[in-house]
Amino acid sequence: ETWVSCTRCERPICPDCLRPAAVGFHCPQCVAEGVSTVRRPRSPYGGRIAERPGLVTVVLGVLNVAAFAVTALTSPGGLTVNSASRLFSQLVLVPVRVAEGEYWRLLTAAFLHVGPLHLIVNLLALFVVGPSLERVFGTWRYLAVYLLGALGGSVAVYLFEDPGRAVAGASGAIYGLFAATLVVLRSLGLDARFMLLAIGLNFAVSFAPGISLLGHFGGFLAG
């Protein structure tokens, strides 16, 4: 009746069913078959590219904020002295406690922060490098790099830090992302000088009192 046929299968199509194509029109059956055979793009580092790049970064940020909020609300010192929380003391990385079998501290400490400034600085760094790296690696590989960086920093502290010193923060994971970003830039032949400068400045700050250089270095090596 319409004198319009599908350009793929040549079946006639009514006006309500035809779908515009690059050339002519397609019928609903051919459109459905085409969609089912389309493959999602894959990352050059393996795995599928994230459909929502930045989603995992946001989730990680929310987890860090939530952990800070809980410790602050349960601490006598509130926001400024959240480390006085009983929960904080149960999750923070203390090498001697890990040696006694409390291995969960190696990972839980990476979601704790001492004061709001510590949290804000790490979140800023996370959201600067996280989303683009998440898109390149895909969801699960990106998450693996983050967690391995966190674990690498904790292991370095456990092995070489003062056994009684408490260490917390997502810095090991962040430095792992720094290292991974540097690897990606170098492998793609892109200019990595700005990243090298940023990493150098961050390592320089790591020598300041109260900051765990070992945690940063361990996270960087893991990344």
Side-chain angles (χ1 to χ4, degrees):
E1 183 177 331
T2 61
W3 293 83
V4 176
S5 299
C6 176
T7 53
R8 293 185 63 181
C9 67
E10 298 185 351
R11 286 178 293 200
I13 326 171
C14 73
D16 294 331
C17 296
L18 59 84
R19 300 290 184 269
V23 178
F25 300 93
H26 288 170
C27 66
Q29 292 88 342
C30 287
V31 171
E33 291 173 4
V35 171
S36 65
T37 57
V38 172
R39 294 184 178 181
R40 287 174 52 191
R42 298 181 70 84
S43 164
Y45 291 89
R48 293 178 176 177
I49 293 177
E51 289 184 341
R52 299 180 180 178
L55 179 61
V56 177
T57 302
V58 171
V59 171
L60 290 170
V62 169
L63 289 175
N64 280 279
V65 172
F68 177 79
V70 172
T71 56
L73 291 173
T74 57
S75 169
L79 292 175
T80 55
V81 196
N82 65 304
S83 56
S85 166
R86 181 179 179 182
L87 178 63
F88 191 100
S89 65
Q90 293 173 338
L91 301 179
V92 70
L93 175 59
V94 183
V96 68
R97 301 299 294 273
V98 175
E100 294 172 354
E102 299 179 1
Y103 299 111
W104 64 84
R105 294 175 182 266
L106 292 172
L107 196 56
T108 56
F111 292 90
L112 300 177
H113 291 84
V114 183
L117 180 60
H118 187 202
L119 173 67
I120 291 171
V121 168
N122 277 342
L123 287 182
L124 285 175
L126 173 63
F127 280 95
V128 166
V129 299
S132 56
L133 200 61
E134 182 179 341
R135 179 166 181 79
V136 172
F137 282 162
T139 299
W140 296 110
R141 282 172 173 77
Y142 168 74
L143 182 60
V145 171
Y146 183 92
L147 294 178
L148 286 173
L151 192 59
S154 294
V155 169
V157 170
Y158 169 67
L159 293 176
F160 305 110
E161 188 62 86
D162 177 359
R165 182 185 177 187
V167 177
S171 300
I174 301 300
Y175 275 76
L177 297 184
F178 283 166
T181 301
L182 184 61
V183 169
V184 170
L185 292 175
R186 297 288 294 176
S187 66
L188 294 179
L190 301 176
D191 188 354
R193 287 177 294 181
F194 178 79
M195 196 64 210
L196 285 169
L197 176 61
I199 292 171
L201 290 174
N202 276 277
F203 268 116
V205 174
S206 300
F207 286 92
I211 297 179
S212 176
L213 176 63
L214 284 170
H216 293 177
F217 189 68
F220 188 82
L221 284 180

